[in-house]
Amino acid sequence: MTATLLRTAAELHARARTGRRAVVMTMGALHEGHATLIRTARETAGPDGEVVVTVFVNPLQFGAGEDLDRYPRTPDADIELADRAGADAVFAPAVDEVYPGGEPQVRVTAGPMGERLEGAARPGHFDGMLTVVAKLLHLTRPDIALYGQKDAQQLALIRRMVRDLNFGVEIVGVPTVREEDGLALSSRNRYLSVAERRTALALSQALFAGRDRHAAQQALRARASEVPATRARAEALSAIGESRAAADAHAVATTAGGPAAIRAAARLVLDEAARLTPPLALDYLALVDPSDFTEIGDDFTGEAVLAVAARVGATRLIDNIPLTFGTFGAAS
């Protein structure tokens, strides 16, 4: 199979459609994370469907001083990777094809969720992102659109836009792809020197530390729920050779647990990375509800996202992992 390169919406619309069309939106500089998205799109669309990969570096989502001109552009390699991963077509329009009248006067606004975390660090970024996603959804007319969970806030906002504005498309999130050492795949990783990359590992290591603390807390709560809070409980703990002070799982989970402890475990790793050479400069560490990206409280239940953003040298990186909060043992 050879993926067809398309430059205009007219060329894309002229293609005969059979089955479902699945779209993967990218800004190019494709890597294995994108390949995973494309392969998932191929499986989702099925043998009779069509997979379209868009390659467009969107100027609206780059703020002043950000790396629009520096952003890597590798068109030939992108087409080759997309083809190998199972794409039928690569839609790579020029800026004046997407914005024929120049920057659009009417744009999609991300709202309050778009002002938090990434939105606070990069004002206007999510308005530009949602505007181009809306345009590309109209131009490509997919049945399904797939996005990586590494950009968790972006994915949440796209889902919200599609729901709030009644887009007739299914949005699918695909888990983050990592290198063997844990670093989340990103087009910006190629900017990192060897020393910077070593420091950058702190992002994923911090998230894993938070995840491990969460798993330990959930295990303690599960153990605490197995024995009633009575004299029989103390006797049961004593029978397995544990001191009451150390083994009272309920007390440990209550006094030293919760979201604050998860954040603290992750923050410890990031603080250590800030003393490395070169240092890591933290933008934010947050444990949030993915429905609105506000910080969760101690009584939160359901899916949450532990997210981090930092700079290493001139390169800004983001990462996150999902966590599940529930009644004893519902950790993930």
Side-chain angles (χ1 to χ4, degrees):
M1 183 181 79
T2 302
T4 303
L5 176 62
L6 307 171
R7 295 290 189 184
T8 68
E11 292 175 323
L12 181 58
H13 296 166
R15 289 176 63 86
R17 291 184 63 164
T18 59
R20 298 195 297 173
R21 174 177 285 175
V23 164
V24 174
M25 296 183 186
T26 83
M27 293 208 300
L30 303 189
H31 50 64
E32 183 57 28
H34 297 109
T36 298
L37 282 167
I38 298 166
R39 286 192 292 267
T40 305
R42 179 78 274 158
E43 294 171 4
T44 304
D48 298 326
E50 179 184 45
V51 175
V52 176
V53 176
T54 70
V55 176
F56 181 67
V57 181
N58 177 34
L60 295 191
Q61 64 194 75
F62 287 81
E66 293 190 334
D67 57 353
L68 174 60
D69 293 334
R70 184 176 170 233
Y71 196 86
R73 292 165 173 82
T74 56
D76 293 338
D78 291 346
I79 296 169
E80 182 180 346
L81 183 147
D83 181 67
R84 289 199 312 270
D88 297 292
V90 174
F91 178 48
V95 172
D96 58 4
E97 175 71 16
V98 178
Y99 304 119
E103 290 195 7
Q105 295 185 38
V106 176
R107 306 188 186 195
V108 178
T109 300
M113 194 192 333
E115 297 172 357
R116 299 174 185 134
L117 301 188
E118 283 299 289
R122 306 174 66 189
H125 166 72
F126 285 126
D127 291 355
M129 179 276 294
L130 289 178
T131 298
V132 79
V133 167
K135 288 183 70 73
L136 288 173
L137 287 175
H138 289 314
L139 290 171
T140 59
R141 303 173 184 174
D143 300 288
I144 312 150
L146 298 92
Y147 302 89
Q149 291 178 357
K150 185 178 80 70
D151 297 295
Q153 193 171 2
Q154 169 180 283
L155 175 59
L157 281 163
I158 291 171
R159 282 179 165 148
R160 188 73 191 218
M161 177 182 73
V162 165
R163 182 169 66 252
D164 286 356
L165 301 184
N166 300 102
F167 280 71
V169 60
E170 177 186 355
I171 303 300
V172 175
V174 178
T176 301
V177 178
R178 298 184 181 278
E179 300 192 34
E180 290 185 4
D181 57 10
L183 187 68
L185 286 176
S186 169
S187 299
R188 290 185 169 91
N189 288 354
R190 67 189 66 195
Y191 297 155
L192 299 169
S193 68
V194 173
E196 288 171 342
R197 195 183 184 289
R198 283 196 296 268
T199 297
L201 290 175
L203 275 79
S204 58
Q205 291 168 350
L207 297 178
F208 299 157
R211 179 191 61 192
D212 291 347
R213 181 56 186 260
H214 177 57
Q217 290 176 186
Q218 294 292 90
L220 285 171
R221 289 190 173 94
R223 289 177 60 198
S225 69
E226 293 172 359
V227 181
T230 62
R231 181 174 180 179
R233 172 195 182 114
E235 292 173 352
L237 292 172
S238 178
I240 60 174
E242 299 184 22
S243 71
R244 290 177 59 181
D248 189 339
H250 178 73
V252 171
T254 301
T255 61
I262 295 169
R263 296 184 191 98
R267 187 62 185 254
L268 183 63
V269 176
L270 297 168
D271 287 346
E272 291 175 354
R275 296 188 287 271
L276 297 177
T277 303
L280 179 143
L282 181 65
D283 277 0
Y284 62 76
L285 171 70
L287 183 53
V288 298
D289 180 342
S291 68
D292 59 9
F293 270 70
T294 58
E295 293 279 354
I296 67 170
D298 290 341
D299 59 349
F300 179 85
T301 60
E303 299 297 320
V305 172
L306 181 61
V308 63
R311 291 185 182 275
V312 182
T315 304
R316 187 174 185 276
L317 301 170
I318 64 172
D319 200 355
N320 72 85
I321 56 171
L323 298 175
T324 303
F325 289 77
T327 304
F328 310 131
S332 68

